[in-house]
């Protein structure tokens, strides 16, 4: 199978793993921090009140879910082709970042959650790519970061 096709399939698998990781950890947060009844999601004031009632731990788990989604997705794609690719780092990080941006825009999160997520996600993606790059020293630099 050509390397380009392997990378595309690995990228798709990495995106699926990323989404699954985020969904699983967010569900764990909902289980760990149940908050009464769900609001009417069509009523912005009810949603805002619901979000304000959540404890800090719930928000920390959501941040952990978003951050883990980036790391696990990039790592999964990398492990499938046994090489780091800028494609994996950029696309997976960008997709999670855009989904996070939509989430914090549509649902009123505390400012500290929004800023932390939107600033740290790209940095975490770059750090993950750099650390994975160090795990594959048997390739030349141009082979790893194509």
């Amino acid at each position: 199978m050509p390397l380009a096709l392997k990378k595309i399939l690995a990228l798709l698998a990495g995106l699926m793993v990323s989404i699954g990781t985020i969904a699983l950890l967010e569900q764990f947060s909902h289980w760990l921090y149940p908050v009464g009844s769900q609001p009417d999601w069509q009523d912005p004031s009810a949603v805002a009140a619901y979000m304000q009632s959540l404890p800090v731990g719930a928000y920390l788990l959501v941040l952990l879910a978003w951050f883990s989604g980036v790391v696990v997705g990039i790592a999964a794609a990398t492990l499938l082709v046994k090489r780091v690719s800028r494609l994996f780092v950029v696309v997976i990080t960008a997709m999670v970042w855009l989904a996070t941006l939509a989430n914090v825009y549509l649902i009123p999160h505390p400012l500290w959650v929004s800023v932390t997520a939107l600033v740290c996600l790209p940095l975490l993606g770059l750090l993950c790519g750099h650390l994975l790059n160090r795990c594959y020293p048997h390739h030349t630099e141009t082979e790893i970061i194509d």
Side-chain angles (χ1 to χ4, degrees):
M1 180 181 314
L3 181 59
L5 181 57
K6 284 183 186 178
K7 284 184 179 180
I8 291 170
L9 294 174
L11 175 62
L12 293 174
L15 285 168
M16 289 189 293
V17 167
S18 180
I19 291 166
T21 300
I22 293 168
L24 185 66
L25 289 173
E26 284 188 356
Q27 280 303 113
F28 178 69
S29 175
H30 295 307
W31 174 79
L32 193 60
Y33 294 102
V35 179
S37 62
Q38 294 287 320
D40 174 11
W41 292 100
Q42 302 301 318
D43 180 7
S45 61
V47 173
Y50 172 76
M51 294 301 285
Q52 289 175 352
S53 71
L54 294 173
V56 171
Y59 288 114
L60 291 174
L61 280 174
V62 168
L63 284 172
L64 176 67
W66 294 339
F67 295 160
S68 297
V70 168
V71 172
V72 173
I74 293 170
T78 298
L79 290 172
L80 286 172
V81 294
K82 299 191 179 9
R83 63 178 60 215
V84 182
S85 173
R86 283 187 189 143
L87 177 73
F88 303 153
V89 173
V90 170
V91 172
I92 293 172
T93 302
M95 295 303 288
V96 173
W97 190 88
L98 288 170
T100 300
L101 178 64
N103 193 308
V104 300
Y105 176 75
L106 295 172
I107 302 172
H109 290 71
L111 183 61
W112 68 269
V113 173
S114 302
V115 170
T116 301
L118 296 174
V119 169
C120 292
L121 279 170
L123 298 174
L124 185 62
L126 291 173
L127 178 63
C128 181
H130 175 73
L131 293 175
L132 285 170
N133 191 26
R134 295 183 65 158
C135 292
Y136 292 96
H138 57 280
H139 294 290
T140 65
E141 190 70 24
T142 56
E143 287 178 316
I144 293 175
I145 311 273
D146 35 273

